[in-house]
Amino acid sequence: MANRRCLSNFTRHCQSLLSSNASVHNLRTLPHLRTIAAFEPLSVVPTSQSHDIRDLESIFVIQPGFLRHFSSGRRNSEGSDDEDDEDHDGGEVEEDEDEEEEMGESSDGDGQDRNARVSNCAVSRSYSLEEKEAEAAAIGYKVIGPLDPLERPFKHREEAFAVVQIGSHQFKVSNGDNIYTERLKFCEVNDKLILNRVLMLGSRTQTIIGRPTLPEAIVHAVVEEHALDAKVIIFKKKRRKNYRRTKGHRQELTRLRITDIEGIQKPEKVKVAKPEKVKVGKLEKEILEKPEKEAVAA
Amino acid sequence: MNKKKIFKLAKGFRGRAKNCIRIARERVEKALQYSYRDRRNKKRDMRSLWIERINAGTRIHGVNYGNFMHGLMEENIQLNRKVLSEISMHEPYSFKALVDISRNAFPGNKKVELPPKKEGLAILV
């Protein structure tokens, strides 16, 4: 009984301390509670109780939300007399200990969940690690190159096309094209991008088809604009049922300008006498030659 | 203010539906409902249009659409129908290369290969 009363007083002191300063920082002051336990009249503080105190401490070093919940149940008992509290708490302490342990375990899990949720929010916000940015860029099949200082990367239109995949959309692009894609997260305006998921290349003399992608083909692009699409009005109505909903939506887009296609032979505008044959060594690519279009005089 | 918005959306409507608010409101609501439905239908329609175009392009070379797509799937070529239709329209030689690949991969049409004309590409030139 004496042990239980000591524990009840101890727990009440804990709550009074912790409910008054409900912050994690003050949980570090828990070692002070041992001195408080020493000042109590009834407490002799045997070794077993110190062990229990340490257990309670370990349970108390959790988020203050748990403690607030716990102490709100206890505050009712603090208002009444001490004797009644002791008798009342005498039977309750064991249950409370069990409750503490149970709630401690559950709140450990909750605390971890809360921590996990907080950390997930932090990760989705900032992507502080460059590796994360690289991973996300790989999902979108783009790699961010350096910015564009005073360069003029735009060339004249060449007679070569590439089929490039960004996310789940495929585009047949050529030099100097504009394409609108879904908003690409990790690039600013005037960034150079490398689109490395290329499915097919074609030019006047060669066609290269990948299965499914071409490993050595690269398409360079520059981010021109991060824009919003035109507004669409989403309107839902059920007739004769008094139900009508209106909502507006603007999709976020990115406009890219394609500057260069690498990995294919682009013949000069001067006519070449013979079409060139290229042997295929790998199983992944298939290169076919095309006859010169003599009838088509450019 | 709502009337102004309704009349702005009702531009080009027929008869009194562009001038009188009671009629215009009904017609505009119907138009917005149609646009909601048709944003979903457009995706279906575009895909069937692409398939029609690919079909037309491959039949020039003696292959029909089903066998062509089957051959591409066998070869693990992941070009989608939008891009294939664009290639069939604008890049005839590349498209012929694709058809040849498909024909070799899935020999369903080898007998029907040569149409009666001397070369299929003569039509294009």
Side-chain angles (χ1 to χ4, degrees):
Chain A
M1 282 297 291
N3 286 342
R4 280 189 220 147
R5 277 184 220 143
C6 295
L7 275 170
S8 70
N9 291 328
F10 173 68
T11 51
R12 233 181 291 133
H13 278 290
C14 288
Q15 291 140 40
S16 61
L17 263 181
L18 296 158
S19 57
S20 62
N21 308 321
S23 62
V24 181
H25 184 66
N26 291 321
L27 283 175
R28 300 291 166 247
T29 63
L30 272 172
H32 295 304
L33 293 174
R34 284 186 190 157
T35 59
I36 293 168
F39 284 129
E40 279 185 335
L42 288 174
S43 66
V44 183
V45 193
T47 54
S48 62
Q49 190 164 12
S50 64
H51 180 66
D52 291 332
I53 290 171
R54 257 180 251 126
D55 287 338
L56 286 175
E57 275 185 16
S58 65
I59 291 169
F60 278 143
V61 180
I62 316 165
Q63 297 211 356
F66 154 69
L67 291 158
R68 261 185 249 124
H69 176 78
F70 180 65
S71 62
S72 63
R74 285 292 223 158
R75 258 180 216 154
N76 300 327
S77 61
E78 274 181 9
S80 55
D81 293 334
D82 290 340
E83 291 181 358
D84 292 335
D85 287 337
E86 285 175 6
D87 292 331
H88 185 61
D89 294 334
E92 254 190 351
V93 168
E94 290 177 352
E95 299 168 5
D96 285 326
E97 279 181 31
D98 292 336
E99 282 177 18
E100 283 170 28
E101 288 172 7
E102 290 171 2
M103 287 167 70
E105 288 169 6
S106 64
S107 65
D108 271 333
D110 289 337
Q112 284 170 9
D113 285 338
R114 270 177 239 159
N115 287 330
R117 259 179 261 138
V118 166
S119 64
N120 280 338
C121 290
V123 164
S124 65
R125 281 271 175 184
S126 63
Y127 283 103
S128 54
L129 299 170
E130 286 182 357
E131 297 173 1
K132 296 268 182 181
E133 287 196 27
E135 282 180 18
I139 291 170
Y141 307 108
K142 55 180 167 62
V143 168
I144 295 177
L147 287 175
D148 204 1
L150 286 174
E151 206 181 316
R152 295 262 171 189
F154 304 121
K155 308 180 194 174
H156 295 295
R157 161 100 26 189
E158 294 165 356
E159 286 197 11
F161 74 92
V163 174
V164 111
Q165 178 165 353
I166 296 177
S168 65
H169 305 286
Q170 297 178 5
F171 302 95
K172 173 186 166 289
V173 292
S174 176
N175 195 13
D177 282 349
N178 275 330
I179 52 174
Y180 283 94
T181 66
E182 302 287 328
R183 175 70 62 95
L184 305 172
K185 262 193 189 173
F186 303 110
C187 49
E188 313 287 325
V189 182
N190 285 334
D191 265 2
K192 277 195 232 172
L193 301 187
I194 292 176
L195 310 171
N196 48 18
R197 188 163 164 116
V198 178
L199 302 171
M200 182 171 167
L201 291 171
S203 80
R204 192 184 270 264
T205 50
Q206 275 187 353
T207 304
I208 308 176
I209 301 169
R211 288 159 170 71
T213 62
L214 292 165
E216 294 164 5
I218 285 175
V219 174
H220 295 278
V222 174
V223 177
E224 280 205 335
E225 194 186 355
H226 283 308
L228 296 171
D229 204 0
K231 180 180 272 196
V232 293
I233 298 177
I234 296 159
F235 182 77
K236 301 185 187 179
K237 176 180 172 125
K238 286 197 201 286
R239 58 179 179 177
R240 299 186 293 272
K241 306 298 171 198
N242 201 17
Y243 168 79
R244 186 164 60 170
R245 300 282 179 265
T246 310
K247 193 174 174 181
H249 177 71
R250 304 194 70 177
Q251 184 70 17
E252 296 184 339
L253 302 175
T254 302
R255 191 170 84 203
L256 302 177
R257 185 174 281 266
I258 308 294
T259 54
D260 197 17
I261 298 174
E262 282 177 14
I264 194 167
Q265 220 179 28
K266 296 170 207 169
E268 305 284 334
K269 284 200 173 175
V270 181
K271 282 189 183 177
V272 183
K274 282 185 186 174
E276 295 169 90
K277 272 197 179 181
V278 183
K279 287 275 179 179
V280 178
K282 296 179 189 175
L283 290 172
E284 287 184 4
K285 295 193 241 176
E286 173 127 354
I287 306 176
L288 298 173
E289 58 175 23
K290 284 178 289 196
E292 274 280 348
K293 287 194 247 179
E294 292 169 352
V296 181
Chain B
M1 299 301 113
N2 200 16
K3 279 194 199 173
K4 272 194 187 175
K5 284 187 192 171
I6 299 255
F7 281 130
K8 192 174 168 193
L9 290 169
K11 289 208 185 280
F13 286 11
R14 188 176 203 171
R16 280 189 280 169
K18 65 181 178 298
N19 294 325
C20 307
I21 186 60
R22 285 183 174 186
I23 303 170
R25 186 165 279 149
E26 292 175 12
R27 292 282 102 214
V28 161
E29 285 188 358
K30 199 63 177 229
L32 291 171
Q33 284 178 279
Y34 284 146
S35 72
Y36 177 83
R37 178 201 68 185
D38 289 330
R39 260 176 257 129
R40 283 129 181 87
N41 284 350
K42 184 160 73 172
K43 300 165 179 56
R44 308 176 206 167
D45 294 340
M46 294 303 289
R47 180 164 165 136
S48 68
L49 175 67
W50 299 329
I51 291 175
E52 285 177 26
R53 288 184 175 168
I54 296 170
N55 208 354
T58 60
R59 277 177 202 256
I60 293 175
H61 303 289
V63 173
N64 57 359
Y65 171 79
N67 295 329
F68 174 65
M69 296 307 291
H70 186 75
L72 291 190
M73 291 303 130
E74 296 264 308
E75 288 282 325
N76 193 18
I77 294 174
Q78 288 179 6
L79 297 163
N80 64 0
R81 284 146 184 85
K82 173 177 97 169
V83 150
L84 282 171
S85 71
E86 291 182 21
I87 294 174
S88 79
M89 282 196 293
H90 299 125
E91 311 281 339
Y93 293 103
S94 303
F95 194 65
K96 170 123 188 5
L98 280 167
V99 170
D100 288 336
I101 290 171
S102 167
R103 200 185 288 139
N104 292 331
F106 176 65
N109 287 321
K110 270 197 172 147
K111 295 173 189 173
V112 201
E113 184 184 316
L114 291 175
K117 292 192 183 179
K118 64 171 176 182
E119 204 183 5
L121 294 172
I123 305 171
L124 301 163
V125 175

